[in-house]
Amino acid sequence: MMLKEIFTRFIKDRFLNIMLYLASMASIITFYHLNEPANTEIFYPVSIGVFLLIVSLAIDWIRYYPTNRAIALILKNQGAEFQPHTEEQRAFQQIIYKMTEEYTRKNNELKENNKERLYFLSHWMHHLKTPVSVIELIINNEEKTNEAAEIFEKIKHENNRLHTYIQQGLTMIRMESFENDLEVRSVDLLPILRKLINDRKKECIYQSIYPSIEFKGENAFIITDPKWNEILLVQIISNAIKYSGPIAGNKKLIFQIETNGKHISLTIKDEGVGIPAYDLERVFQPFFTGENGRTFSNSTGIGLYLSKKIADKLGATINIQSEPFKGTAVTIRWLAGTQITRS
């Protein structure tokens, strides 16, 4: 197929030259025939002319085919070495080398600038974490009177929001070097969930949210990176708590684990405000807040975007189902792991 395509291009490129050659040959034969009417020999000069044309095209084809075959393979993302055989091909090769060098130089400059920007941004966010931690320490250690309790609770709530935004910013920065910070292994999902629920215990109590894990087994081993997987779950749990809070009364937050052959899935179900159907297909887009973003000023549109990015890189799948005022269910599916025994 490739040979046919290249040969077709070869003939198209040389069609005009072939026509001019045949026309000139016919003109010369006609000229000599008119000068010597007695000479009726046509087959012999035509045969020589056609033979020389075929030889010329064959030599040209031998120089044309290898280079154009290499170009066709490169365009199909297959390995091939570009070897020029004509001065024209060498000139194109020099242009390609020059353009590649220029592109590489500019790309390296952009990488260095981006690396420096990410370095300073990362350090800036780490500095922001210090006052957040100090505020948290003051809130926890200060004796609260009835008068000040409400104020302290509001400060703590805003401090938690600030902490969440900083963590999301740091996560986005670290995504640039995700592959360099990856350690995929078999880990038990249950202890991770218990830890994350315990970390949010006070917030759940304040919002009248009652988390529970539904799983009949003793352990649920999955193939993932423990740190990045925890970041993934934190984003979803944070959203579940955030959008469940405004609903009056007691709310459930269910962590449902299921095994299905070679996979283990976790469905996190909340009883929050839900997501309209017309927003569902866009919730994984960066900075998309949708209808809820108009109601909740603290919506950033980052949590689910980060969750999808991390899940994709970890080889997990994530999907979401929701109904307004009934709640949201986010399901993550991992490849099932095996229990590691230590001697």
Side-chain angles (χ1 to χ4, degrees), residues 242-306:
K242 181 197 302 181
Y243 294 112
S244 294
I247 301 296
N250 297 333
K251 286 88 59 177
K252 292 180 181 179
L253 180 57
I254 301 172
F255 297 83
Q256 191 176 61
I257 301 174
E258 294 180 353
T259 58
N260 182 15
K262 295 182 179 180
H263 296 90
I264 289 179
S265 62
L266 167 67
T267 301
I268 302 174
K269 299 179 181 179
D270 65 56
E271 295 181 344
V273 296
I275 303 169
Y278 49 80
D279 282 344
L280 271 178
E281 61 183 24
R282 300 180 61 192
V283 292
F284 294 119
Q285 294 179 5
F287 304 108
F288 177 76
T289 56
E291 186 67 30
N292 287 335
R294 299 181 183 93
T295 308
F296 299 90
S297 59
N298 58 344
S299 298
T300 62
I302 296 296
L304 287 176
Y305 165 73
L306 287 176

Side-chain angles (χ1 to χ4, degrees), residues 37-302:
N39 185 5
T40 59
E41 181 61 47
I42 295 177
F43 178 78
Y44 181 70
V46 169
S47 299
I48 293 176
V50 171
F51 173 75
L52 292 175
L53 175 61
I54 292 171
V55 170
S56 174
L57 290 173
I59 294 171
D60 196 11
W61 169 253
I62 291 170
R63 303 168 74 188
Y64 180 93
Y65 176 71
T67 303
N68 284 270
R69 180 178 180 275
I71 292 172
L73 289 173
I74 292 170
L75 291 174
K76 292 181 178 180
N77 296 321
Q78 300 179 19
E81 187 177 355
F82 183 85
Q83 289 288 349
H85 294 88
T86 66
E87 292 302 319
E88 181 184 37
Q89 292 171 359
R90 290 188 185 93
F92 278 113
Q93 186 185 48
Q94 290 174 1
I95 292 172
I96 291 170
Y97 282 160
K98 186 176 180 181
M99 292 175 67
T100 303
E101 288 175 1
E102 184 68 16
Y103 169 79
T104 304
R105 184 183 64 79
K106 289 183 177 180
N107 190 47
N108 289 336
E109 287 179 3
L110 289 172
K111 281 184 177 179
E112 286 300 317
N113 293 336
N114 191 48
K115 189 186 295 183
E116 185 178 5
R117 180 179 63 83
L118 290 175
Y119 174 79
F120 283 112
L121 187 58
S122 177
H123 275 257
W124 173 69
M125 285 193 170
H126 276 294
H127 284 305
L128 281 178
K129 290 180 74 175
T130 302
V132 170
S133 301
V134 172
I135 294 171
E136 184 72 24
L137 188 63
I138 292 170
I139 291 169
N140 291 333
N141 292 338
E142 187 71 26
E143 274 190 28
K144 299 179 184 177
T145 64
N146 292 334
E147 220 172 87
E150 188 178 345
I151 297 173
F152 272 102
E153 199 59 50
K154 288 180 179 179
I155 293 172
K156 186 174 183 179
H157 179 67
E158 294 302 318
N159 191 63
N160 287 338
R161 283 177 57 189
L162 182 58
H163 179 75
T164 300
Y165 298 155
I166 291 171
Q167 286 300 119
Q168 286 182 339
L170 287 171
T171 301
M172 290 186 71
I173 292 170
R174 292 180 186 133
M175 291 289 288
E176 297 287 333
S177 56
F178 187 94
E179 287 75 12
N180 299 329
D181 189 27
L182 193 64
E183 185 186 349
V184 177
R185 53 191 173 89
S186 183
V187 295
D188 192 353
L189 181 60
L190 282 171
I192 296 173
L193 286 180
R194 292 189 184 110
K195 172 185 175 295
L196 295 178
I197 292 170
N198 190 59
D199 290 344
R200 297 293 184 118
K201 183 170 62 176
K202 289 184 179 179
E203 195 173 349
C204 286
I205 293 171
Y206 179 72
Q207 303 280 12
S208 299
I209 298 170
Y210 295 91
S212 63
I213 298 175
E214 294 183 358
F215 182 57
K216 295 180 180 179
E218 294 182 359
N219 47 53
F221 284 93
I222 58 174
I223 302 297
T224 189
D225 177 279
K227 186 183 77 173
W228 282 105
N229 193 65
E230 188 171 316
I231 294 172
L232 161 64
L233 293 173
V234 164
Q235 305 302 319
I236 298 169
I237 295 171
S238 297
N239 270 6
I241 295 173
K242 181 197 302 181
Y243 294 112
S244 294
I247 301 296
N250 297 333
K251 286 88 59 177
K252 292 180 181 179
L253 180 57
I254 301 172
F255 297 83
Q256 191 176 61
I257 301 174
E258 294 180 353
T259 58
N260 182 15
K262 295 182 179 180
H263 296 90
I264 289 179
S265 62
L266 167 67
T267 301
I268 302 174
K269 299 179 181 179
D270 65 56
E271 295 181 344
V273 296
I275 303 169
Y278 49 80
D279 282 344
L280 271 178
E281 61 183 24
R282 300 180 61 192
V283 292
F284 294 119
Q285 294 179 5
F287 304 108
F288 177 76
T289 56
E291 186 67 30
N292 287 335
R294 299 181 183 93
T295 308
F296 299 90
S297 59
N298 58 344
S299 298
T300 62
I302 296 296

Side-chain angles (χ1 to χ4, degrees), residues 318-333:
I318 180 171
N319 61 72
I320 185 167
Q321 294 178 329
S322 186
E323 286 187 54
F325 309 109
K326 289 187 177 181
T328 301
V330 180
T331 302
I332 311 163
R333 191 179 73 160

